[in-house]
Structures are given as structure tokens and as C-alpha cells.
Amino acid sequence: MLPRSEKETASQTVYRCLRHAVMIGRIPPGRALTIREIAETLNVSMMPVREALRLLSAERALEVRDNRRVQVPHMTASRFRELCELRVVLETHAALGAMPYVRGDRIAVLEGLDRRIDEANLRDDFEQAIALNQDFHRTIYTANPDQESLPLIESVWLQLGPFIRIALSRLEDFYRIDRHAEAMAALRRQDPIGLRVAIEADIRDGIMHVSADDLLNAYLEGGRRASAVDP
């Protein structure tokens, strides 16, 4: 469980923990959880879990079935492609809006994050790699003091999060160029065309090779794992 701040309610902390878990792919497609199981894992009562799930259901991150099982919503190939295209549109827009504000200190932070992403990938720490990759993009977009797009971007990340592991497991086959290096080079040059190309290529290389069969297999695998541990 993530640390709870003094000003947070139990529901807010549970929401933040579950949202983070979904966004980094910790809850796989096809894996059904119970409200009681989540409450016991987070060491809270079931009431704040129900409130957090209500909010996450509205964001299409999780859904509560009639049997009170909690699961990642079903993902179709067409919806997956739509979300990926939304990532391209929203994130190239956010990156271009932030570009004039990205200077030396922030680029140094980006370089550090990129090194840590490479290290996480080398040790197959997919959750860490996903979280750091999101931090890399977030560090660019939030340079713009007037940006309003990050909540929209994070909503898309949230819906795609459970499927990112599929992409990372095949990273070497599809991700041969360091698009983060290209993005940082474009930021140093203040080159809007280069930055747009790098951000779009980063998104497409990183996730858009996932197929309909991959999505189906992810649900089947998640269900098999659940069957192996559920009574």
C-alpha cells in the first residue's frame, strides 16, 4: 500500500493505491478479485474499497460484477486501437505545449529517468519500467504551467495499464530505437517536428503492436492464474 498522507481519507488512499496498481499493470486482465480480498490486502474495511471502486468504475479502470468480483473491463481490439490513437493525439499536444518550458535541469531529470527505465527493463522489472516511463512523460508534460491535458492522458494510461505488460514482454522485437533519446534531443534543439515524431513513435513502438489475439490470451492467462490460487 502506498503511504497515506495526513490529509487523505481512507477512501482516497485506497483509490490512489488501486489506481496506481491498475496503471502499472499489477492487476492483470482476467484476474478476478473480491472486495474483501482487496480490503484485507490494503488493511482497511470494505467501505473505503467500495467507494474507491465506484470512482474507478466511472473511469473504466475496473468493474464490479454481480458476484462482487472486481475485474479489469473487457478490452476489444477496436477499443484498444482507439485508446492508443488517443494517446498519440493527447501526448503530442501536451509535449509541444511543454517544449518551450523544458530546459537543462528538467532534461537532466529526464536523462536520469531514461537510465532507470533501461535498468528496470534489463532486470525484467516491468512494473518499475512502466511507472518510470509514465514519470518520464509526465515530467515533460507538466513543464507547461498552463497544461490541462494530463488528467485526460492519465485516464487513457489507466485504461491501457493492464495490457502494457504484453507490450513489454515483446519489447526487444518492436522497440529497437531509443525514442526517449530522440525526444530529449528534440527538446534540447527546441524542435517541434522532431519532438512530435519522437513522442508518436515512442507510443506506437511501445504498445501498438499488441494484437487482438494478445488481448484474448491475456484474459485467458489471467483467468488461469486466478483458478490456480482461488479456492
Side-chain angles (χ1 to χ4, degrees), residues 9 22 29 48 68 81 85 108 123-124 136 147 155 161 194 211 227:
T9 65
V22 174
R68 297 186 180 180
R81 296 297 170 190
E85 292 296 344
R123 60 178 184 269
D124 291 334
F136 180 93
Q147 69 83 21
S155 173
S211 68
S227 298

Side-chain angles (χ1 to χ4, degrees), residues 71-86:
Q71 196 166 347
V72 171
H74 182 68
M75 178 68 74
T76 65
S78 59
R79 180 172 166 242
F80 182 84
R81 296 297 170 190
E82 174 73 5
L83 288 168
C84 290
E85 292 296 344
L86 275 174

Side-chain angles (χ1 to χ4, degrees), residues 25-155:
R26 187 172 293 163
I27 303 175
R31 172 70 167 99
L33 304 169
T34 65
I35 294 174
R36 183 179 298 279
E37 181 181 356
I38 295 170
E40 290 175 352
T41 300
L42 298 179
N43 194 28
V44 296
S45 70
M46 289 194 287
M47 186 176 296
V49 174
R50 289 193 182 97
E51 176 61 21
L53 289 173
R54 185 185 65 79
L55 296 174
L56 289 165
S57 294
E59 293 181 272
R60 303 188 71 180
L62 291 171
E63 63 181 12
V64 181
R65 303 293 181 86
D66 291 339
N67 59 3
R68 297 186 180 180
R69 294 266 172 161
V70 178
Q71 196 166 347
V72 171
H74 182 68
M75 178 68 74
T76 65
S78 59
R79 180 172 166 242
F80 182 84
R81 296 297 170 190
E82 174 73 5
L83 288 168
C84 290
E85 292 296 344
L86 275 174
R87 274 202 66 183
V88 171
V89 172
L90 291 170
E91 295 190 47
T92 53
H93 168 81
L96 291 173
M99 186 181 68
Y101 303 95
V102 179
R103 300 301 181 190
D105 289 350
R106 193 168 289 251
I107 290 176
V109 173
L110 293 170
E111 289 171 340
L113 287 168
D114 196 36
R115 285 193 297 271
R116 293 171 63 195
I117 292 167
D118 291 341
E119 292 166 0
N121 283 326
L122 284 174
R123 60 178 184 269
D124 291 334
D125 187 346
F126 294 150
E127 289 185 7
Q128 181 75 348
I130 294 167
L132 289 169
N133 182 67
Q134 290 167 354
D135 284 344
F136 180 93
H137 286 263
R138 195 181 284 112
T139 298
I140 295 174
Y141 310 151
T142 56
N144 179 359
D146 299 316
Q147 69 83 21
E148 297 289 344
S149 55
L150 188 60
L152 299 174
I153 292 168
E154 290 192 343
S155 173

